[in-house]
Each structure stands twice: as C-alpha cells, then as structure tokens.
C-alpha cells in the first residue's frame, strides 16, 4: 500500500506549528512518531493534504520532576524514554508497566506520548485497506452510513486502544493543550469523549503539549494488565490499570482502576471507591471486578469475542487489585 500525496511542514517551535495548523485549517494533521498515522494513511483512513511534523519541537520532549513532587511529561517524549525513566519506574510504576507494553521496542523508540494519547479508535471493520472497506460499503466512522458492529444505531463503538491513557487516568493526570486561543488543561476524563468518531475534546488547531501527574499520585502501588493476541507487538484488546495508596499495615487509603481497549474512551471504574479504608479482602476484589464489567463494554470491534474480553476484564481487574493490595509493588 502506498501513501497518498501530502505536503510536509517541519516547524521548529510550538509557535510555528500552531501557526501552520491555523493557516492550513482542516486540511492539516499533525504527525509525531507516525507509527499509527502512517499505516492509517496507507489504508486511506486519513488523507490530510498537509502533515505538520512535530519532531523538531524539542521543547516538548521532557520528563521533569516538579518542585511539589508532581511530574510533567512532554508530548514528544518517546514511549521508550517513558518506560525507562527512573522517576517513572520509582514513583509511578503503573505508567512504567503500561509504557513497556506498548507495541514493540522499535515502535516505542519512534512513538510518542502525545501520539499515544491521541490514537484513533480501532475496529475490525475500520482498520482495513480501502479495498476491503469499499467491498463492505464502508461504515459510519469513515465514508459510510452504517455501523457493522451495531447495525441498528448511529453510534460508533470503535475502541480506544492506547496503553498509557488508562495508567494516566488512574494517576489523575491532566492533559495540557495549546491552540489558537492559548493554552488550557483538562483532566483525562474530560479529554476523552466516549464516541468512536469524536474521540477527544481537542478543538480545531489544538495540539497536546504534555501531561502533568499530581504529586498526590506519586508513590502509589500500581500494576497494568493487558490482553492482546500477539504478545510482542499488539494493541490492547482489554487493559486494566490499578493503583492504590496504602498504610504500612496494608489498609487501602485510596484506589483507582481504569480500563482500556473495551470502550470508545478509557474509563475509570467507580466501584474502586469500595476499597477505601479496607484491609485485603479477596471477596471485595471480586466484587469490584464484577462491577468493572458494567463499565467496560466490549463489542464485536476486534478479532477476540466480546464474551471473552468481558471475562478477561473481570479476571484482570480482580488480579490487578489483589496485586496492588497484597504486594508492595
Ligand atoms: C503494529 C503496531 C502495534 C501497535 N501496538 C500498540 C500498543 O500495543 N499499544 C499502544 O498504545 N499503541 C500501539 N500502537 C500505536 C502506536 O505505535 C503508539 O500508540 C504510539 O505511541 C503512537 O505515537 P506516535 O507518535 O507514533 O503517533 P502518530 O502516529 O504520529 O500520531 C497518532 C495520532 O495522534 C495525533 N497526534 C500525535 N501527536 C499529537 C499531539 N502532540 N497533539 C495532538 N495530536 C497528536 C496524530 O495526528 C494522529 O492522529 C501500535 C502500532 C503499530 C503499527
Ligand atoms: S464500530 Fe461501527 S461505525 Fe465504528 S468503526 Fe466499527 S463498524 Fe465502523
């Protein structure tokens, strides 16, 4: 498959990149590592006339401990740098675990945090060649009018399939954006829109510049569990990030559990609040896992069945909670 024609702009500062995006309007799309966008362009899922390459924006490539104990991470930070960062390994283990499962070593060396957070949603009927999609009459996410997953409706259920977002959601991180109207910050829960077409609350011409993890989330135990078909390279078909802050005797002070790969947006499991103030209790972990499958709603968007993904979600949530509760991970 070949790439469609496009013009490449290579700004060297954030200001220049924003000006280029404003000038080119809807004809332009940003590219960072290109590990997700380039294959999608070959499949004609995106055919931007102009690509604004962010790679020269060195100002967005940083991992920076803040004075209050929080952590700032620039959008151009490579996934490999995130996975190997000593401060991430030590103070935000759930993010380290999630980052090291992204794709493969080569793709982690190219792929960036910004691209990972802004990934397009995925579906068996969408991530296909133009020829394949045309033979089916396309679908409403791109060029068609009908959803092949839920044919009666007018909603796209394509699944958000990034690994770092659930970890960052569990860490209560905020995403930083810059655009023609200046800079702003959103919680990740506000940033993601549970709609396979809309995906994120990013205004036209806006870029993700970085994220900030609050000091209050530092040092929590954390684990990430991921189900995928090819262990060495695949997107998550179901993923669970769990974090917990505990007393020395193992009482849970606070816990958060987030899901990915099963809804159009990564989601927090509200039932994790039940763990607060409790000592280790296997029945309670199972109860929260049971509630989690009301939040995670896998449909026929992947090669794995919804039934199996729901089952694996329940098992992963239970195991993740047990692990953060019992181990000092
Ligand atoms: C075979 C294969 C396996 C993969 N497996 C995984 C996996 O297991 N887990 C996973 O999470 N991902 C996976 N990916 C996807 C991808 O490699 C990673 O998500 C990577 O981090 C994407 O970053 P990037 O910089 O390459 O994004 P790009 O491809 O450059 O961009 C992705 C999207 O984000 C937008 N974008 C990029 N940067 C910004 C920004 N700063 N602001 C606003 N929009 C932006 C682009 O316009 C585009 O729409 C896989 C990809 C492939 C090809
Ligand atoms: S969920 Fe439906 S509309 Fe969305 S990509 Fe899949 S088939 Fe298309």
């Amino acid at each position: 498959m070949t790439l469609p024609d496009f013009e490449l702009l290579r700004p060297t500062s954030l200001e220049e990149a924003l000006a280029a995006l404003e000038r080119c309007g809807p004809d332009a799309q940003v590219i960072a590592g290109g590990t997700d966008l380039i294959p999608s362009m070959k499949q004609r899922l995106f055919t931007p006339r102009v690509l604004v390459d962010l790679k020269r924006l060195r100002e967005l490539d940083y991992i920076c401990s803040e004075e209050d104990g929080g952590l700032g991470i620039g959008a151009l930070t490579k996934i490999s740098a995130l996975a190997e960062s000593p401060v991430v390994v030590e103070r935000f283990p759930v993010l380290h675990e999630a980052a090291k499962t992204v794709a493969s070593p080569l793709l982690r060396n190219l792929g960036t945090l910004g691209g990972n957070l802004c990934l397009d949603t995925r579906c068996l009927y969408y991530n296909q060649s133009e020829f394949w999609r045309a033979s089916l009459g396309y679908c409403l996410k791109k060029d068609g009018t009908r959803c092949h997953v839920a044919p009666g409706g007018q909603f796209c259920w394509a699944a958000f399939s990034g690994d770092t977002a659930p970890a960052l959601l569990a860490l209560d991180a905020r995403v930083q954006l810059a655009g023609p109207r200046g800079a702003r910050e959103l919680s990740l829960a506000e940033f993601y829109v549970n709609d396979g077409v809309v995906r994120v609350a990013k205004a036209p011409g806006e870029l993700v510049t970085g994220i900030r993890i609050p000091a209050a989330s530092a040092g929590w135990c954390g684990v990430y569990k991921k189900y995928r078909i090819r262990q060495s390279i695949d997107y998550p078909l179901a993923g669970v990030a769990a974090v917990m802050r505990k007393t020395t005797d193992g009482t849970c002070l606070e816990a958060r559990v987030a899901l990915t790969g099963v809804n159009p947006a990564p989601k927090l499991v509200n039932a994790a609040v039940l763990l607060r103030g409790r000592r280790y209790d296997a029945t309670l972990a199972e109860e929260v896992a049971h509630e989690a499958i009301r939040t995670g709603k896998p449909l026929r968007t992947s090669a794995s069945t919804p039934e199996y993904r729901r089952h694996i979600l329940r098992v992963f949530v239970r195991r993740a909670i047990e692990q953060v509760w019992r181990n000092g991970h």
Side-chain angles (χ1 to χ4, degrees):
M1 281 186 286
T2 54
L3 277 170
D5 288 341
F6 58 86
E7 184 189 342
L8 184 66
L9 301 182
R10 310 195 77 187
T12 52
S13 69
L14 178 59
E15 206 181 354
E16 260 183 51
L18 292 175
L21 285 173
E22 195 171 16
R23 200 170 57 247
C24 303
D27 286 342
Q29 185 162 358
V30 301
I31 181 163
T35 59
D36 194 63
L37 184 57
I38 293 291
S40 300
M41 285 175 65
K42 288 183 176 174
Q43 293 176 323
R44 303 299 190 267
L45 296 172
F46 296 100
T47 49
R49 193 181 58 73
V50 179
L51 276 184
V52 179
D53 182 2
L54 304 183
K55 275 197 273 311
R56 294 183 178 178
L57 274 57
R58 303 319 312 165
E59 66 212 270
L60 299 187
D61 183 2
Y62 61 87
I63 298 179
C64 171
S65 294
E66 293 171 355
E67 262 178 30
D68 68 355
L71 190 72
I73 309 175
L76 260 277
T77 305
K78 298 273 173 31
I79 300 294
S80 53
L82 203 55
E84 287 154 19
S85 154
V87 62
V88 173
V89 174
E90 244 171 63
R91 292 169 56 214
F92 306 97
V94 69
L95 182 57
H96 161 67
E97 286 214 352
K100 72 181 187 195
T101 73
V102 171
S104 65
L106 274 179
L107 292 167
R108 288 196 289 277
N109 274 339
L110 276 173
T112 64
L113 175 65
N116 196 252
L117 294 177
C118 296
L119 273 187
D120 191 13
T121 50
R122 297 183 65 79
C123 174
L124 195 59
Y125 298 92
Y126 171 74
N127 297 100
Q128 302 287 356
S129 67
E130 157 97 82
F131 174 75
W132 193 102
R133 288 181 296 112
S135 68
L136 208 67
Y138 301 103
C139 78
L140 64 83
K141 182 162 162 68
K142 173 83 180 138
D143 299 330
T145 52
R146 179 161 184 266
C147 172
H148 304 295
V149 168
Q154 282 300 302
F155 187 82
C156 172
W157 296 96
F160 176 79
S161 308
D163 287 304
T164 63
L168 290 166
L169 194 56
L171 291 170
D172 200 22
R174 293 180 71 77
V175 60
Q176 295 161 326
L177 298 147
R181 296 183 174 187
R184 63 179 179 136
E185 231 183 63
L186 293 175
S187 70
L188 277 186
E190 291 167 318
F191 180 63
Y192 287 108
V193 179
N194 196 42
D195 177 321
V197 176
V198 181
R199 307 187 286 124
V200 289
K202 201 162 59 65
E206 260 188 335
L207 280 180
V208 170
T209 54
I211 60 111
R212 186 174 182 282
I213 310 176
S217 297
W220 292 34
C221 299
V223 297
Y224 181 65
K225 298 205 173 288
K226 168 168 174 174
Y227 165 54
R228 52 183 158 177
I229 305 247
R230 299 171 298 178
Q231 284 304 318
S232 55
I233 197 169
D234 258 340
Y235 293 86
L237 297 181
V240 175
V243 296
M244 188 179 281
R245 186 164 68 91
K246 297 181 290 189
T247 59
T248 44
D249 72 351
T251 304
C252 168
L253 292 171
E254 241 178 303
R256 290 192 211 106
V257 175
L259 312 179
T260 190
V262 284
N263 294 308
K267 294 238 170 208
L268 279 171
V269 174
N270 293 334
V273 64
L274 297 174
L275 303 168
R276 239 186 241 171
R278 303 288 295 269
R279 297 283 295 272
Y280 176 74
D281 176 346
T283 314
L284 184 55
E286 179 63 45
E287 203 180 305
V288 175
H290 203 77
E291 286 301 312
I293 56 175
R294 294 175 201 267
T295 306
K297 294 190 168 56
L299 294 179
R300 270 188 318 117
T301 54
S302 82
S304 183
T305 65
E307 292 77 14
Y308 187 67
R309 282 154 76 213
R310 220 174 352 260
H311 167 72
I312 208 83
L313 205 59
R314 189 168 59 76
V315 172
F316 276 1
V317 171
R318 175 176 56 73
R319 287 186 188 163
I321 292 173
E322 287 181 352
Q323 206 172 320
V324 287
W325 220 347
R326 295 171 93 169
N327 304 343
H329 194 58

